[in-house]
Amino acid sequence: MRIGVLTGGGDCPGLNAVIRGVVRKGVGVYGHEFVGFRDGWRGPIEANTTPLGIEQVRGILPRGGTILGSSRTNPYKVEGGVEAIRENLAKLGVDALIAIGGEDTLGVAKRLTDDAIPVIGVPKTIDNDLGATDYTFGFDTAVTVAMEAIDRLHTTAESHHRALVVEVMGRHAGWIALHAGIAGGANVILVPERPFDVDEVVRHVESRFATQYAPIIVVAEGAVPKDGAEVLSSGAVDAFGHVRLGGVGQWLAEEIEQRTGKESRAVVLGHVQRGGTPTAYDRVLATRFGLHAIDAAHEKDWGKMVALRGTDIIRVPLEEATRELKTVPLERYLEAEVFFG
Ligand code: F6P
């Protein structure tokens, strides 16, 4: 078989490890050929390809980003997009696709499978919010980066008796905030799943100052104040209808400073969480996803996504993969709340 590989959506540490796993087993064990499509779904729409073989995947295991590039292109929003994909695959002699992405990329993969274009999905997101898999690669790296930042911020916050608000990624799900906040010993963690009460945050901040320590508040970019609205960095909307978030940390720091009279600053970790080399956990998970994805393709088990259940890699229908987002359950949040204040 000749198989196309693409990476879509926001990039994520571990994407290259998946590509390497797919190609190494696909060529070495099954004797398949590969074509890399550049920049997510834009690649097959525009027939923008790059060679993909053993040579191209050498040395990429520890590299962040994706050697294939990425984009948030939605073929169902591009005039003639799906037909262009169909024609280009035929022209290039590509039998099937392996699409590595989050809910948007996998949603497209599901629709293409329904439209008789064979696809296997691999779940990817630093947000860890895909319902059908226990973990996605990239999450552990993002949490580690955020935890290290929080560790550093504790020391400088204490030297200056400041409150520091750390804004992390997490549009609909607060997994990064929750895990980084617990691992970093945050005094308050705010997640999109639970609208927060600014008065309560201020109480936690004051009680922390009263013990001669400086408070660190971890806030997910998608967290909203009670009776308030999401804070947006701009009006920009991507091809999947997501508005660009960012700014809740700065907003909250100003509220805290006004209400407590203590200096408060915001730090936005942003894309730092997505960049750089993956942790060992993410390299192993991504590699296993790649190996199992090429097994699924070899068996022509189209319309499936590989997923982690416990310690096993299983296959689930793409439909299940995109059915619901995995958000932070209340009981998990309550565990963290013990340490607030
Ligand atoms: O979807 C993953 C994610 O990390 C979200 O948490 C965040 O809102 C988004 O990507 C930001 O991505 P970009 O700035 O690349 O559009």
Side-chain angles (χ1 to χ4, degrees):
M1 265 194 288
R2 194 164 148 83
I3 300 167
V5 182
L6 64 89
T7 51
D11 72 339
C12 186
L15 284 168
N16 288 326
V18 178
I19 298 167
R20 172 176 171 270
V22 165
V23 172
R24 286 289 292 271
K25 187 162 187 185
V27 174
V29 176
Y30 296 129
H32 296 312
E33 273 178 34
F34 292 91
V35 175
F37 282 104
R38 286 199 179 279
D39 301 338
W41 293 114
R42 201 189 297 146
I45 292 173
E46 296 175 1
N48 189 355
T49 64
T50 182
L52 188 60
I54 300 286
E55 196 188 317
Q56 285 75 26
V57 300
R58 286 219 191 282
I60 67 171
L61 174 64
R63 267 176 61 188
T66 160
I67 58 165
L68 297 176
S70 190
S71 76
R72 295 189 192 272
T73 308
N74 182 349
Y76 287 92
K77 289 273 171 66
V78 175
E79 179 84 30
V82 176
E83 274 327 297
I85 292 180
R86 201 187 303 280
E87 281 163 24
N88 287 331
L89 295 188
K91 213 159 47 191
L92 295 162
V94 172
D95 303 294
L97 292 171
I98 292 180
I100 312 165
E103 52 161 332
D104 299 326
T105 306
L106 297 172
V108 169
K110 150 89 179 71
R111 290 180 71 179
L112 289 177
T113 306
D114 294 345
D115 288 338
I117 295 176
V119 189
I120 297 293
V122 177
K124 163 253 48 155
T125 163
I126 63 163
D127 293 350
N128 198 39
D129 59 0
L130 287 172
T133 182
D134 287 353
Y135 281 97
T136 46
F137 61 87
F139 172 66
D140 186 64
T141 306
V143 168
T144 303
V145 169
M147 178 199 70
E148 285 171 358
I150 294 166
D151 285 349
R152 287 170 195 279
L153 293 171
H154 272 297
T155 62
T156 173
E158 274 153 29
S159 305
H160 291 268
H161 315 290
R162 284 175 179 147
L164 285 180
V165 179
V166 187
E167 182 182 304
V168 297
M169 281 188 170
R171 176 177 291 278
H172 306 291
W175 290 109
I176 296 177
L178 183 79
H179 280 228
I182 292 176
N187 307 118
V188 186
I189 300 169
L190 305 172
V191 296
E193 292 85 344
R194 285 174 60 91
F196 61 89
D197 178 349
V198 183
D199 291 331
E200 208 177 305
V201 174
V202 165
R203 272 197 299 279
H204 291 316
V205 164
E206 281 173 334
S207 87
R208 189 68 180 178
F209 272 127
T211 61
Q212 305 306 321
Y213 285 102
I216 302 283
I217 300 98
V218 176
V219 58
E221 62 183 351
V224 285
K226 274 183 185 153
D227 311 319
E230 248 175 358
V231 183
L232 310 177
S233 71
S234 73
V237 178
D238 70 18
F240 290 90
H242 304 305
V243 284
R244 196 177 294 170
L245 296 177
V248 66
Q250 181 58 35
W251 178 85
L252 186 59
E254 285 167 19
E255 287 288 314
I256 292 171
E257 185 162 307
Q258 252 174 38
R259 295 181 192 213
T260 63
K262 298 271 193 191
E263 187 180 343
S264 302
R265 300 283 191 91
V267 176
V268 181
L269 295 185
H271 296 90
V272 171
Q273 296 157 95
R274 285 222 310 244
T277 187
T279 59
Y281 180 89
D282 283 339
R283 293 182 199 191
V284 173
L285 180 58
T287 298
R288 293 184 71 206
F289 276 166
L291 297 174
H292 285 260
I294 190 61
D295 288 345
H298 182 71
E299 292 167 26
K300 301 191 162 72
D301 196 6
W302 311 124
K304 296 288 169 55
M305 181 190 87
V306 293
L308 180 71
R309 283 291 157 80
T311 55
D312 294 332
I313 308 288
I314 59 160
R315 291 178 203 164
V316 297
L318 274 170
E319 193 184 336
E320 191 184 318
T322 51
R323 195 179 298 142
E324 68 181 67
L325 276 186
K326 182 178 65 202
T327 52
V328 173
L330 179 61
E331 61 273 19
R332 290 294 305 276
Y333 188 76
L334 294 179
E335 288 174 1
E337 222 175 37
V338 171
F339 301 96
F340 289 7

